[in-house]
Amino acid sequence: MMNSVDSSSHASKLVLAEVAAIADRLNQLAFREGSYASALEWLYFNRYSQAEANEQLYAMNWPIVGIAVQGSKRMRVGQQTFTYGGARLFVAPISLPITFQTMQASITEPFLGIGIYLDPQRIAELVPNVYPQGLPPMDKREAGYVMDADAALLNAVGRLLECLSNPSDMQLLAPLIRDELYIRLLRSPVGVYIAETVFADSVVQRMTQAIAWLREHYDQPFKVPELASRIHLSESSFREQFKAVTGFSPLQYQKMLRLQEARRLMLSQGMDATGACRMVGYVSDSQFSRDYSRLFGDAPSRDIARLRIGSRPVVR
């Protein structure tokens, strides 16, 4: 009979073998630099051949699980920082503005990562099967979570990548493997926090409703008490819960949405700073410039010029 030490060592070897197999496969699939969608709309790849020691990238993450099978990445959400790589996963159960850096990468061993978007509707259908007695008690909520992946979950990721070489497998098998991944995530140490996002009238589900409203109306002024009332919470409770779940106040969250969209408009559509400023809801050019410089480290025109020269993508 295998003792606990031998069992742990065996499990670690299995995990490392799965990570190596995924990295080998992903190195073939993610053949160009940057972050981009795969043939499956809910699966994307990351490949970076240099670490960004002094450069931070900004993005608006959808609910997602991120897997870095080669190299490492650092994510910042609000005041929290998460580092993951190898057999560790990053899970963001709700939409979050993030700052990230590739910490370990090179030409010979590029950073290789996978992102799997979490579909709230499908997760809601699976939750009753995983938690038939309802959700267990939860500890303090976080804006994001890092956890160790087990060999079974990584094996499912490897099988998912194999589907990409066969259109029939993508259509028939990939959705089943995605369900398996969702179930394994729901059964993981952070599963209850994922499940809570789809439970009707839960605190996080209410925050998800508020976030959806902010994303749809980011260019419009709003009053925090009115948004709190919209999701049937007091203003004080709404402010407290929103900060706990996202790492931002509601107004900070809206500001991040506005600034990231303005940056995208200037970079991808050639819009000038004044046009982008107005498009995202700012009424003051000077306030826009101050907020933009504070977030991205430079004035809008200089920041966009640098990005165009550097050819680094702005990720949404």
Side-chain angles (χ1 to χ4, degrees):
M1 182 175 179
M2 188 179 294
N3 63 39
S4 60
V5 175
D6 291 338
S7 177
S8 176
S9 176
H10 180 66
S12 297
K13 288 179 179 178
L14 286 176
V15 167
L16 292 176
E18 294 291 353
V19 169
I22 295 172
D24 184 63
R25 181 63 175 154
L26 191 56
N27 193 40
Q28 302 171 43
L29 293 169
F31 53 86
R32 57 188 173 89
E33 289 285 300
S35 175
Y36 46 90
S38 73
L40 297 167
E41 62 180 2
W42 42 269
L43 173 69
Y44 74 86
F45 302 145
N46 294 140
R47 183 189 187 101
Y48 294 111
S49 297
Q50 66 180 49
E52 299 144 355
N54 298 311
E55 181 180 3
Q56 298 184 104
L57 300 180
Y58 300 82
M60 175 55 66
N61 252 15
W62 296 96
I64 198 170
V65 54
I67 308 169
V69 293
Q70 186 167 281
S72 63
K73 180 181 284 190
R74 178 181 294 163
M75 314 280 276
R76 184 176 177 83
V77 184
Q79 301 302 310
Q80 291 180 284
T81 299
F82 308 89
T83 300
Y84 68 103
R88 307 203 81 196
L89 314 180
F90 172 73
V91 181
I94 61 174
S95 297
L96 296 169
I98 63 169
T99 305
F100 65 93
Q101 292 173 282
T102 303
M103 304 303 295
Q104 182 183 357
S106 67
I107 296 294
T108 55
E109 291 191 10
F111 173 88
L112 296 172
I114 299 168
I116 301 169
Y117 292 115
L118 303 177
D119 180 354
Q121 181 175 342
R122 185 57 185 151
I123 288 174
E125 294 167 354
L126 295 170
V127 163
N129 296 322
V130 179
Y131 295 100
Q133 306 302 319
L135 299 186
M138 285 169 279
D139 295 327
K140 182 182 177 182
R141 300 178 185 88
E142 305 286 354
Y145 305 89
V146 171
M147 71 172 194
D148 293 328
D150 59 30
L153 188 148
L154 292 170
N155 181 265
V157 172
R159 286 184 278 113
L160 179 62
L161 295 182
E162 291 296 327
C163 289
L164 296 174
S165 61
N166 187 313
S168 179
D169 287 353
M170 281 197 296
Q171 180 181 2
L172 298 175
L173 297 181
L176 300 179
I177 298 174
R178 183 178 65 162
D179 280 357
E180 178 186 346
L181 287 168
Y182 285 172
I183 290 169
R184 292 190 181 281
L185 286 168
L186 286 169
R187 291 165 56 184
S188 76
V190 303
V192 65
Y193 301 102
I194 298 173
E196 189 189 18
T197 65
V198 300
F199 253 64
D201 215 33
S202 70
V203 169
V204 175
Q205 211 275 338
R206 291 190 189 190
M207 295 307 106
T208 300
Q209 293 175 27
I211 287 168
W213 190 93
L214 286 170
R215 290 180 71 100
E216 292 173 8
H217 304 88
Y218 67 88
D219 57 340
Q220 301 174 19
F222 79 99
K223 296 180 179 179
V224 173
E226 292 176 358
L227 184 53
S229 177
R230 180 181 291 273
I231 59 172
H232 310 294
L233 286 176
S234 68
E235 180 183 352
S236 60
S237 178
F238 173 59
R239 288 182 184 274
E240 179 183 353
Q241 297 297 342
F242 193 95
K243 184 70 174 289
V245 169
T246 69
F248 298 92
S249 72
L251 291 173
Q252 286 173 330
Y253 192 99
Q254 183 199 46
K255 184 185 294 185
M256 290 286 284
L257 288 173
R258 286 180 167 184
L259 294 172
Q260 290 195 25
E261 176 63 7
R263 199 187 203 200
R264 187 192 69 83
L265 290 171
M266 289 185 286
L267 187 65
S268 63
Q269 298 188 21
M271 193 172 290
D272 62 20
T274 298
C277 164
R278 297 292 181 271
M279 184 67 71
V280 301
Y282 273 85
V283 296
S284 166
D285 290 12
S286 59
Q287 185 63 53
F288 171 72
S289 184
R290 283 194 297 272
D291 288 347
Y292 191 101
S293 299
R294 191 175 296 118
L295 177 60
F296 297 119
D298 210 341
S301 58
R302 289 194 295 270
D303 176 59
I304 297 302
R306 179 184 60 83
L307 286 171
R308 285 175 177 153
I309 293 172
S311 71
R312 269 303 181 86
V314 174
V315 187
R316 291 194 75 189

